[in-house]
Amino acid sequence: MKSDKWKPWALLAPSLTAVFLLLVIPVCFVVVYSFWLRAPSGGDIPAFQFGNYAKFFADFFYPSLVIRTLRVALETVVLCLVMGYIPAYFFYRTESKLKPFLMILIMLPFWISFIIRTLSWINILGDTGLINHVFIKAGVIDNPLPMLYNEGAVLMGLLQYLLPFMILNIYVSLEGIDKSLTEAAKSLGCTEWQAFKEVTLPLSLPGVSAGCLLVFVLTCGTYLPPMILGGPGNDMIANLIFKRIVGTLDWPFGSALSTILLALLGVIVYTYNRYLGINQIFKTLQ
Amino acid sequence: MMENKMERKLDEMIDRYREGKISRRAFMKYLGIAAAAAGIAGGPFGLARNAFGAKSITFHSWGGSTSEALRKYAFDPFTKETGIEVIDAAFTGMDAFLTQVKASYPPGGEFNLAHLSAVYDYARYKNLGFNSVLDESKIPNLKNVLPKMIDTLRAITDGKLSAVPYDYGQTGIAYNTKYISKENAENLGASLLWDKSLKGKLGSWGGDFRTNMWYAALHTGQSPNNITRLNDVWDALREQRELMKKYWASGSELMSLLANDEVYATVAWSGRVANLQAEGHPIGYLAPDNTYSWMEYMYVLKGTDMDVAQKLLNFMLEPEPAIAVAEGQKYPPSLDPRKVSLPKSIKKLPAFDPTGTLDGYLFADPEYWNSHQLEWTEKWDRIKAGA
């Protein structure tokens, strides 16, 4: 038995090496950079000081962007949950021969570049886009509705990006539920709604919680939808990090912002694990 | 090389798609073909080909019509004549490119030549130690270049050159003539960008604090290269923010916003406006007094094979390719009209200077703007974000 102990590690070695080289080391670099200083020329000065962190906390502008990011992430989670549970439940219950085709439709957006998918909303929501065009032609409105370059458009962009993640997580969880349980509940007098509320919904919660966590974390780190579909005042923390690193070559402060975001998400994931259990995520994958 | 060309073509297609020049169906078809071709041509076979490839040099530029013109009229003929391959790629912006160069430093041959813009960036590259020194005797065509452009660069690099000036342009104001009359635009000048009747229909370049501060300085009656009432500028930008529909991030986005009537007036690059006009869009161009002028140059980064670079630069400064590139990208070339005969198509480009002196063109003072860069960028970002 003792001689077999190395085997799991040998099997894990390629993945662990990849994670270490491609994730742990770069993150360590980011953390180290966050203590450095920016030279007036845009170069970096190695140092160990907390000025970049002090700058973040000394000015409410930076925390306010984090708060906005968390708010948008929560809104996205709620929208994805509401809009994702229904199709996932439908896939679970349907006996239709079209089910595999419908599942492919859910996966279809992944075949198209995220940037292209985001850009396409300009042609739909814009002043001369599809919706306004149809409404104006139909005489419903005289002037275009302002649907683009605001927070609503950003949420729409995030929704189309993240909804498949939510649907798939919930669906995988639902698929693991024995359908005879709901039949048993109904045979004991439950209505269809009661059977869903008392049996199906609680058993699908691991998938719901996994989907929520995934959507939340991905939203916090995204910057393309606010950049392409957002208007003045819709930037999120990732946009600011991008500007600091690329726009002003202020890698140390950009790294400090990244580290703060990482730490914040770490705390959220830890708390989530503490009260809901991160193992729920893995259950949905079984 | 095949992968590089594929990437280039894909960039062009994305640009065209965003500008509304091709349908989504055509774009998707191209995407599929590109993916298949990349699968066949890419991978280890591509790497092997590159390893045994001929002598080459990399060139980064703005993509779209600019890169197209450079490739057709400069790089391909140069390769045909010398056998040296020019591997060209598009960058997403000046700042993003500088970040890439910084990340790759010390130079390893990844970045050689770049089509950079604005004198303050020439100074930034020098301050970061990325500059090379050109042997001007090997670029005889420099004699045809506007002296003021050369002198401006020389002043920054201690009398030497790290780049050759290639074109110049302006960031003026583009306006939709369907909604704004020429007379009204000219009367308002820079203040057109603060016209309350255009609320929700104005745009500006979100990625550059200078452009926005420049116009805010003009709006508040100040010299952009010596702003004395800074708070007035910030207040003006805050006021303008409430009127804005979109702070655009790229040239193609600018064109898309104007072409689709999303914004009626915005700061705009003169060449992009000329492109829209050539396509028949009802877009006017306004260059108020002290319009933001800038020059572009072909920069040679430290660590580059200077012989190859100088040979290419000299070739690019030949009147024929320089004029063809200028026609393609719609920016006047750096060629001195007193020495080189320029065609009508060049003379009617926005921002063209028939005198060849560039007198009256106001460029950003690199020392002034670079010394405030970090502070003002942060301030600008805050205002843009609503603070």
Side-chain angles (χ1 to χ4, degrees):
Chain A
M1 286 295 282
K2 199 178 175 184
S3 61
D4 285 347
K5 272 189 174 176
W6 60 273
K7 283 184 180 171
W9 291 107
L11 290 169
L12 280 172
S15 311
L16 286 177
T17 308
V19 168
F20 185 73
L21 290 177
L22 304 175
L23 187 69
V24 177
I25 290 182
V27 168
C28 289
F29 269 111
V30 170
V31 174
V32 170
Y33 254 111
S34 70
F35 298 111
W36 287 20
L37 290 164
R38 179 195 186 274
S41 65
D44 307 309
I45 303 168
F48 184 73
Q49 48 84 44
F50 293 89
N52 295 315
Y53 291 97
K55 186 174 170 181
F56 176 87
F57 290 107
D59 185 343
F60 187 67
F61 169 68
Y62 300 112
S64 73
L65 271 186
V66 173
I67 292 167
R68 182 190 294 161
T69 304
L70 296 178
R71 179 175 56 76
V72 171
L74 275 175
E75 288 168 0
T76 310
V77 166
V78 171
L79 282 172
C80 283
L81 183 57
V82 171
M83 298 186 71
Y85 200 99
I86 297 163
Y89 186 71
F90 172 76
F91 293 141
Y92 163 61
R93 294 301 300 262
T94 186
E95 302 291 334
S96 167
K97 285 178 185 170
L98 291 174
K99 186 174 169 179
F101 173 72
L102 293 172
M103 288 301 294
I104 288 173
L105 282 183
I106 296 293
M107 306 288 283
L108 200 63
F110 292 124
W111 300 359
I112 304 166
S113 155
F114 174 40
I115 297 174
I116 301 299
R117 275 186 284 149
T118 308
L119 282 171
S120 66
W121 282 102
I122 293 172
N123 296 330
I124 298 168
L125 300 175
D127 283 3
T128 54
L130 184 70
I131 296 174
N132 274 318
H133 181 75
V134 170
F135 280 2
I136 289 171
K137 283 278 174 199
V140 180
I141 51 173
D142 293 327
N143 294 311
L145 297 170
M147 290 182 286
L148 194 59
Y149 307 128
N150 51 37
E151 192 168 304
V154 174
L155 284 169
M156 187 69 87
L158 288 165
L159 194 64
Q160 61 90 22
Y161 164 42
L162 297 163
L163 191 58
F165 291 102
M166 183 66 91
I167 294 174
L168 291 174
N169 269 288
I170 298 173
Y171 173 70
V172 170
S173 182
L174 286 167
E175 268 296 298
I177 301 172
D178 187 346
K179 282 180 180 157
S180 62
L181 290 174
T182 44
E183 296 307 317
K186 281 194 271 186
S187 72
L188 291 170
C190 280
T191 61
E192 189 79 38
W193 167 246
Q194 282 172 324
F196 170 76
K197 201 175 72 172
E198 302 297 334
V199 179
T200 312
L201 183 62
L203 288 173
S204 68
L205 284 182
V208 170
S209 59
C212 289
L213 183 64
L214 202 59
V215 168
F216 185 85
V217 171
L218 287 172
T219 305
C220 286
T222 191
Y223 78 97
L224 268 173
M227 192 173 91
I228 295 174
L229 302 174
N234 294 135
D235 277 0
M236 288 161 61
I237 190 70
N239 298 91
L240 185 67
I241 293 171
F242 177 81
K243 280 174 198 157
R244 283 295 156 272
I245 290 181
V246 173
T248 53
L249 290 184
D250 194 353
W251 292 11
F253 187 54
S255 299
L257 290 172
S258 305
T259 307
I260 289 166
L261 180 63
L262 186 70
L264 186 66
L265 291 178
V267 169
I268 290 168
V269 171
Y270 174 79
T271 311
Y272 189 92
N273 183 35
R274 179 86 174 73
Y275 293 103
L276 289 171
I278 205 96
N279 58 333
Q280 301 288 6
I281 292 174
F282 299 111
K283 273 187 193 169
T284 67
L285 301 174
Q286 284 167 4
Chain B
M1 204 61 60
M2 173 77 87
E3 278 176 281
N4 188 270
K5 279 183 184 165
M6 198 70 71
E7 197 179 310
R8 206 167 60 198
K9 287 279 179 201
L10 198 54
D11 284 345
E12 283 168 18
M13 291 303 278
I14 290 172
D15 273 353
R16 285 179 189 176
Y17 172 67
R18 292 186 68 175
E19 288 160 18
K21 290 180 186 169
I22 58 166
S23 69
R24 187 149 101 193
R25 179 178 289 190
F27 177 76
M28 293 314 298
K29 192 171 81 180
Y30 186 84
L31 207 63
I33 295 167
I40 294 162
F45 304 110
L47 288 175
R49 248 197 323 277
N50 286 343
F52 294 102
K55 201 167 194 180
S56 62
I57 193 160
T58 64
F59 186 96
H60 284 75
S61 185
W62 293 92
S65 54
T66 306
S67 291
E68 213 171 293
L70 283 167
R71 201 176 309 123
K72 188 172 172 188
Y73 298 108
F75 302 154
D76 288 348
F78 177 74
T79 302
K80 203 173 168 189
E81 193 176 301
T82 63
I84 299 168
E85 197 79 45
V86 182
I87 302 167
D88 69 316
F91 45 61
T92 50
M94 297 288 299
D95 291 328
F97 182 68
L98 183 53
T99 307
Q100 283 180 299
V101 173
K102 186 183 164 187
S104 79
Y105 202 78
E110 200 176 344
F111 299 105
N112 299 137
L113 272 81
H115 186 180
L116 302 182
S117 185
V119 178
Y120 51 78
D121 261 332
Y122 184 86
R124 282 171 86 192
Y125 277 79
K126 191 243 175 186
N127 292 339
L128 284 162
F130 300 162
N131 57 309
S132 62
V133 178
L134 293 176
D135 179 352
E136 292 176 37
S137 68
K138 293 187 176 167
I139 313 173
N141 284 328
L142 260 178
K143 69 178 186 298
N144 291 332
V145 174
L146 292 165
K148 186 170 177 179
M149 292 177 85
I150 294 180
D151 294 344
T152 306
L153 298 186
R154 268 196 219 287
I156 295 166
T157 35
D158 310 320
K160 308 238 183 315
L161 286 177
S162 302
V164 297
Y166 206 67
D167 56 82
Y168 59 95
Q170 289 176 331
T171 304
I173 298 173
Y175 61 94
N176 192 318
T177 53
K178 273 196 290 183
Y179 307 101
I180 301 165
S181 68
K182 188 178 177 194
E183 192 188 17
N184 187 30
E186 284 172 355
N187 282 340
L188 287 171
S191 297
L192 178 64
L193 299 169
W194 276 264
D195 185 351
K196 288 187 172 60
S197 69
L198 297 174
K199 185 173 181 175
K201 282 293 174 187
L202 291 169
S204 188
W205 184 15
D208 185 45
F209 73 100
R210 292 174 208 89
T211 303
N212 291 281
M213 288 184 69
W214 189 283
Y215 275 94
L218 293 181
H219 174 62
T220 55
Q222 302 186 69
S223 162
N225 278 330
N226 182 26
I227 298 169
T228 50
R229 289 174 281 118
L230 198 55
N231 281 338
D232 288 1
V233 166
W234 301 135
D235 288 345
L237 290 173
R238 276 194 200 95
E239 182 194 334
Q240 191 191 43
R241 197 186 75 91
E242 302 306 316
L243 307 174
M244 280 286 148
K245 174 148 200 181
K246 177 72 176 167
Y247 289 112
W248 44 269
S250 68
S252 51
E253 193 178 12
L254 156 70
M255 290 174 74
S256 165
L257 288 168
L258 285 168
N260 293 320
D261 290 4
E262 291 289 348
V263 299
Y264 297 161
T266 173
V267 295
W269 301 322
S270 55
R272 295 284 182 165
V273 176
N275 267 315
L276 282 168
Q277 288 170 338
E279 286 167 14
H281 294 287
I283 303 297
Y285 179 73
L286 175 70
D289 287 346
N290 289 331
T291 291
Y292 186 3
S293 303
W294 36 262
M295 64 156 107
E296 296 193 320
Y297 43 87
M298 302 302 178
Y299 196 90
V300 183
L301 286 149
K302 196 174 188 172
T304 298
D305 183 332
M306 296 305 285
D307 280 340
V308 175
Q310 284 154 184
K311 210 178 277 183
L312 176 60
L313 291 176
N314 194 52
F315 188 90
M316 290 171 77
L317 284 174
E318 287 285 346
E320 194 189 357
I323 289 168
V325 170
E327 284 172 338
Q329 65 171 359
K330 305 273 189 289
Y331 289 115
S334 61
L335 300 177
D336 191 337
R338 294 166 296 186
K339 296 177 184 169
V340 179
S341 167
L342 297 172
K344 253 189 195 161
S345 57
I346 297 292
K347 289 178 182 168
K348 68 177 187 192
L349 286 175
F352 174 72
D353 177 25
T355 69
T357 59
L358 295 178
D359 287 344
Y361 283 63
L362 192 62
F363 296 90
D365 176 351
E367 205 174 317
Y368 177 72
W369 288 94
N370 282 354
S371 64
H372 298 291
Q373 195 222 358
L374 186 61
E375 178 198 347
W376 288 354
T377 305
E378 287 187 359
K379 184 76 179 174
W380 162 239
D381 282 345
R382 295 163 63 98
I383 289 172
K384 198 155 62 89

